[in-house]
Amino acid sequence: MSLKQTIENEYKNALKSKDKNKISTYRLILSSIKDLDIVNRSGPNKKETDDEDIKKLLKKMVKQRAESIDIYKKNNRTDLLEVEQNEYDILTSFLPKQLSEEETKKICSDIISKIGANSLKDMGKVMGELKKNHADEIDFSKAGSMIKELLNK
């Protein structure tokens, strides 16, 4: 079953259970997927929207929620924080599990030693290798700072 069908099924279940938080989040996701479908069908590079496109979209939405959560925490807005946190949890449930910081750091150091990187000039090579092998499971904003730290030692 495709990712879109899974989301649609979850949306139907939320409608049946009358869970307003989930219903609004699933509507938001499905409407974004519909927009993505329209973009993919128009223009010079026409193509069908696949699971990879939807994962990219969900990652973007997760990143937006994470930024909002940070802002709401700083400004002590628990009412808005709760809504964003619920959306964040629902969105991340459709993405592959992200590796912990320790696991990410270990993978980064393994790749650095594997390719023989020894300065910040090699950061692009390390990031390229990370993206090739661990694209779905690593948060690259965190990985970037870890790689800089490891290469500066």
Side-chain angles (χ1 to χ4, degrees), residues 78-147:
T78 52
D79 53 333
L80 297 172
L81 176 66
E82 198 174 300
V83 172
E84 290 293 315
Q85 188 64 52
N86 287 336
E87 288 183 6
Y88 179 88
D89 294 340
I90 291 170
L91 289 165
T92 53
S93 70
F94 294 108
L95 291 171
K97 188 178 180 313
Q98 297 287 296
L99 295 174
S100 69
E101 255 184 70
E102 298 84 40
E103 293 169 317
T104 303
K105 198 166 200 163
K106 183 184 180 327
I107 290 172
C108 290
S109 60
D110 289 349
I111 289 177
I112 287 171
S113 60
K114 177 183 158 193
I115 64 173
N118 52 16
S119 72
L120 282 177
K121 291 178 184 173
D122 300 323
M123 188 165 170
K125 292 177 190 172
V126 176
M127 290 295 273
E129 194 69 25
L130 265 181
K131 284 186 179 172
K132 194 177 357 170
N133 299 322
H134 304 282
D136 286 341
E137 48 197 21
I138 288 183
D139 180 353
F140 285 95
S141 59
K142 291 179 185 171
S145 60
M146 282 182 200
I147 292 169

Side-chain angles (χ1 to χ4, degrees), residues 4-128:
K4 184 177 179 181
Q5 290 171 323
T6 306
I7 294 169
E8 287 170 344
N9 287 342
E10 290 295 323
Y11 173 61
K12 289 174 189 169
N13 293 337
L15 284 173
K16 288 176 187 170
S17 66
K18 296 182 175 138
D19 186 338
K20 289 182 179 164
N21 292 331
K22 286 184 178 180
I23 291 171
S24 66
T25 304
Y26 290 132
R27 279 188 180 147
L28 184 72
I29 295 169
L30 290 171
S31 113
S32 296
I33 291 172
K34 229 173 235 171
D35 290 344
L36 186 62
D37 280 338
I38 292 168
V39 168
N40 284 342
R41 278 184 288 169
S42 61
N45 303 328
K46 294 180 183 177
K47 68 174 197 144
E48 283 293 315
T49 304
D50 58 7
D51 281 357
E52 288 305 310
D53 294 333
I54 294 173
K55 282 181 190 174
K56 283 181 191 169
L57 174 74
L58 291 174
K59 284 180 185 176
K60 182 179 169 187
M61 293 172 82
V62 165
K63 186 177 179 185
Q64 291 169 338
R65 299 307 174 286
E67 290 170 358
S68 297
I69 287 170
D70 287 343
I71 292 169
Y72 294 148
K73 279 182 183 173
K74 286 177 188 167
N75 295 316
N76 223 12
R77 292 295 308 265
T78 52
D79 53 333
L80 297 172
L81 176 66
E82 198 174 300
V83 172
E84 290 293 315
Q85 188 64 52
N86 287 336
E87 288 183 6
Y88 179 88
D89 294 340
I90 291 170
L91 289 165
T92 53
S93 70
F94 294 108
L95 291 171
K97 188 178 180 313
Q98 297 287 296
L99 295 174
S100 69
E101 255 184 70
E102 298 84 40
E103 293 169 317
T104 303
K105 198 166 200 163
K106 183 184 180 327
I107 290 172
C108 290
S109 60
D110 289 349
I111 289 177
I112 287 171
S113 60
K114 177 183 158 193
I115 64 173
N118 52 16
S119 72
L120 282 177
K121 291 178 184 173
D122 300 323
M123 188 165 170
K125 292 177 190 172
V126 176
M127 290 295 273

